Amino acid sequence: MEKEMIIVLDFGGQYNQLIARRVRECNVYCEVHSYNMPLEQIKEMNPKGIIFTGGPNSVYGEDSASCPKEIFELGIPILGICYGAQLTAHLLGGKVATAPVSEYGKTEVEVDTDSKLFEGVSPKTICWMSHTDYIEKAPEGFKITGTTPVCPVAAMECEENNWYAVQFHPEVMHTQEGTKMLSNFVYNVCKCLGEWKMDAFVERTIGEIREKVGSGRALCALSGGVDSSVAAVMMAKAIGKQLTCVFVDHGLLRKNEGDEVEAIFGPEGQYDLNFVRVNAQERFYEKLAGVSDTEQKRKIIGEEFIRVFEEEAKKIGKVDFLVQGTIYPDVIESGLGKSAVIKSHHNVGGLPEHVDFKEIIEPLRMLFKDEVRKAGLELGIPERLVFRQPFPGPGLGVRIIGDVTPEKVRIVQDADAIYREEIDKAGIAGDLGQYFAALTNMRSVGCMGDERTYDYAIALRAVLTSDFMTAESAELPWEVLGKATSRIVNEVKGVNRVLYDCTGKPPATIEFE
Ligand code: XMP
């Protein structure tokens, strides 16, 4: 598909996606594949370079991830990172051993700036190390281009064959000049041109969709989240009225969100598509009445969503294509075998069983989240939608502890809207990974004027996170918390107390359910 591509071969390292993202940030298209991808297939893809990731194994382990030595004979530049560097040394006749002391964390590495890999990098540069084995002796023909007091071979290369290896992780941000090194690899060594740009991608994908769909019809479940919105707009630009978007309002959206989605995608909006809004609030509230178990709530919401969507789809009749907002991390996570991290939760939606369609279209399948956002901007989608924070498929259903009632939804919607407004006003939204209000199931005594109250406590949460797998509670300025608190207790009926969640993930989760 792409003329110019770098392949990341994944040996089970936790940073496989990060390497690909960094390479793409250098405007070079990059895909992640399993370490056991057959050489024939690699050849067919004709990559400009290959990067071996780190991994949890030792090269001497019995079932350690490895690849055929012949990969070095393909004439394609190779960069080995951490385990990938050790594997390079091992396969080419060097020596890997257990290091006398493990190196972990930020480490100063002395590098040879005459190397193509370290061009423009400081001679002493801070890099992120995380290893117990190390390369004790470089293979013959290799030059040592980096050392630390512990590592005799922190970097090595065989320039003639375009083989490079680094013990540290250039892809993580703690390696201060890591992006420069990766950029040097793709430009100086692999001679890439840097053709991966979002505008070109968007234009080409629109053309491909048009060709694929022909005169057929497509159906898209629109949630108002970033992925489904960008997918829908891309489809709409390609096939206009041949697309129908179904937006199910389950009554668990943030305040005014349903109307906002309708304003953008509905008949008054800027796109030429068929938009169906289903106001299914009552149905969801009925199904959820009296249910307080979280997993059961999630299940009910997910299933009901599919039922509503199917009913709408039936009204539309047979469609040729079902559009899904799948993005590249989902593809990597579900398809790479050894290192696969299977997602523990699913979006509301899933795949409906009773919708009559021929094929699935996933226009964002090859994009990382930040690229989806860039594509969204290219497509002219409003910034407030493109930079929307993640919102769980089951919506406020998982931000209300205990059973869900319309009254509780109203309380959490109002409190959340105030909290978000105050964070926006303080100008700190961009620093936070995710922030929201949740409704605890706790009621307690308070006093309002001369009256005794017995009302709910709202919990405010704000976290810093880069991957949503771990997070720390954000130290919000007291002023912001104070302002939000006083507005919530004054403006939201039914609340007399506001708490701030100081817990990280782990041990808590980001959501408050
Ligand atoms: P937790 O609460 O598991 O959340 O720490 C991690 C991230 O995932 C989001 N989340 C979901 N997203 N469907 C989604 O699409 C879900 O069911 C769901 N549950 C949690 C959560 O908002 C956070 O960003």
Side-chain angles (χ1 to χ4, degrees):
M1 180 180 89
E2 295 297 323
K3 267 198 283 172
E4 182 174 279
M5 169 181 353
I6 298 285
I7 290 183
V8 169
L9 279 194
D10 179 28
F11 288 90
Q14 52 182 323
Y15 303 126
N16 57 8
Q17 294 190 25
L18 205 50
I19 300 172
R21 269 175 54 196
R22 292 280 176 266
V23 171
R24 289 194 191 186
E25 278 166 20
C26 302
N27 296 323
V28 174
Y29 183 70
C30 182
E31 286 186 4
V32 182
H33 290 281
S34 170
Y35 69 93
N36 55 19
M37 182 184 218
L39 286 191
E40 271 314 307
Q41 228 171 309
I42 294 180
K43 258 200 273 182
E44 264 168 42
M45 296 176 90
N46 192 24
K48 298 281 257 185
I50 299 173
I51 300 179
F52 296 169
T53 72
N57 304 99
S58 155
V59 291
Y60 296 113
E62 254 183 35
D63 53 347
S64 292
S66 187
C67 64
K69 198 177 153 191
E70 289 73 34
I71 195 163
F72 290 95
E73 288 159 21
L74 298 177
I76 302 169
I78 291 179
L79 170 66
I81 294 176
C82 194
Y83 175 79
Q86 295 165 12
L87 187 68
T88 302
H90 179 64
L91 290 174
L92 296 175
K95 186 153 188 271
V96 175
T98 305
V101 276
S102 306
E103 271 178 315
Y104 183 81
K106 289 184 187 173
T107 310
E108 190 177 83
V109 181
E110 269 195 59
V111 297
D112 178 351
T113 51
D114 288 338
S115 159
K116 283 186 192 163
L117 194 66
F118 300 123
E119 191 188 296
V121 171
S122 330
K124 289 183 179 179
T125 183
I126 299 295
C127 300
W128 184 257
M129 285 283 192
S130 169
H131 66 108
T132 39
D133 280 3
Y134 72 171
I135 302 170
E136 198 175 68
K137 193 168 159 291
E140 217 165 290
F142 272 75
K143 181 178 167 196
I144 295 170
T145 52
T147 54
T148 73
V150 172
C151 249
V153 190
M156 62 176 195
E157 67 188 41
C158 174
E159 189 186 346
E160 178 191 340
N161 289 316
N162 287 322
W163 298 331
Y164 291 78
V166 291
Q167 179 57 63
F168 52 85
H169 288 273
E171 70 278 19
V172 305
M173 66 179 188
H174 307 299
T175 297
Q176 285 170 0
E177 297 174 277
T179 303
K180 177 86 196 127
M181 298 171 195
L182 289 172
S183 164
N184 282 343
F185 178 67
V186 299
Y187 288 107
N188 294 355
V189 179
C190 305
K191 307 287 181 211
C192 290
L193 301 173
E195 293 169 335
W196 174 247
K197 305 251 169 67
M198 244 344 104
D199 49 354
F201 171 82
V202 165
E203 203 177 304
R204 203 187 50 236
T205 309
I206 289 176
E208 284 167 3
I209 295 170
R210 224 171 253 155
E211 196 167 313
K212 182 163 193 169
V213 175
S215 58
R217 287 200 301 163
L219 175 66
C220 175
L222 184 65
S223 71
V226 182
D227 303 343
S228 71
S229 299
V230 174
V233 171
M234 212 179 246
M235 293 297 299
K237 294 241 161 154
I239 59 167
K241 281 261 159 54
Q242 287 160 261
L243 172 73
T244 302
C245 285
V246 174
F247 167 56
V248 178
D249 185 342
H250 52 24
L252 301 163
L253 298 168
R254 283 166 289 198
K255 190 171 181 174
N256 300 330
E257 199 167 13
D259 294 342
E260 283 169 19
V261 172
E262 184 169 350
I264 295 171
F265 294 98
E268 310 293 319
Q270 64 199 93
Y271 303 109
D272 188 30
L273 48 81
N274 295 306
F275 175 83
V276 180
R277 173 175 179 173
V278 192
N279 287 316
Q281 294 91 330
E282 297 308 321
R283 276 177 75 153
F284 281 85
Y285 295 156
E286 260 167 45
K287 286 269 172 219
L288 287 167
V291 180
S292 25
D293 178 74
T294 22
E295 281 308 307
Q296 216 191 331
K297 284 196 284 186
R298 278 176 173 274
K299 222 169 139 226
I300 290 172
I301 299 167
E303 277 174 9
E304 196 58 15
F305 183 93
I306 301 258
R307 295 290 89 79
V308 176
F309 184 69
E310 281 176 353
E311 285 173 25
E312 287 310 311
K314 255 197 209 123
K315 290 185 202 158
I316 295 163
K318 186 170 167 47
V319 291
D320 306 280
F321 301 93
L322 185 71
V323 183
Q324 296 254 303
T326 318
I327 68 172
Y328 198 43
D330 305 330
V331 175
I332 298 179
E333 282 166 20
S334 56
L336 280 190
K338 206 160 183 166
S339 77
V341 191
I342 303 301
K343 259 200 179 163
S344 56
H345 48 64
H346 301 277
N347 256 326
V348 164
L351 259 193
E353 282 170 38
H354 306 290
V355 174
D356 200 3
F357 63 94
K358 269 197 325 225
E359 214 180 312
I360 292 178
I361 295 192
E362 296 169 313
L364 313 177
R365 203 184 149 73
M366 297 324 283
L367 300 189
F368 285 111
K369 191 85 182 184
D370 44 337
E371 294 174 320
V372 173
R373 293 203 159 103
K374 276 192 209 147
L377 293 177
E378 280 299 328
L379 287 160
I381 302 176
E383 276 193 27
R384 62 173 198 289
L385 208 163
V386 166
F387 291 102
R388 185 166 262 191
Q389 41 167 338
F391 186 62
L396 300 176
V398 294
R399 289 182 185 169
I400 293 172
I401 309 284
D403 63 332
V404 174
T405 64
E407 169 72 354
K408 287 183 180 175
V409 172
R410 194 251 327 143
I411 291 177
V412 76
Q413 276 179 338
D414 287 348
D416 182 65
I418 291 172
Y419 182 46
R420 283 190 288 134
E421 209 177 292
E422 289 306 321
I423 286 199
D424 278 348
K425 267 198 234 159
I428 53 174
D431 306 334
L432 303 172
Q434 204 170 349
Y435 54 96
F436 56 86
L439 182 59
T440 72
N441 207 14
M442 182 195 89
R443 291 206 290 167
S444 63
V445 173
C447 51
M448 276 281 223
D450 289 336
E451 294 219 357
R452 177 185 182 279
T453 56
Y454 191 64
D455 282 334
Y456 284 109
I458 278 285
L460 300 181
R461 185 138 177 75
V463 294
L464 307 176
T465 178
S466 54
D467 55 12
F468 296 90
M469 289 192 264
T470 58
E472 36 181 326
S473 174
E475 283 186 37
L476 285 197
W478 190 248
E479 269 172 71
V480 179
L481 285 174
K483 186 84 194 296
T485 300
S486 84
R487 282 194 57 199
I488 290 170
V489 288
N490 283 316
E491 296 172 34
V492 185
K493 195 168 166 295
V495 178
N496 66 357
R497 217 175 266 272
V498 176
L499 313 171
Y500 186 66
D501 186 348
C502 305
T503 332
K505 170 185 178 178
T509 57
I510 294 177
E511 289 299 338
F512 199 108
E513 56 183 308

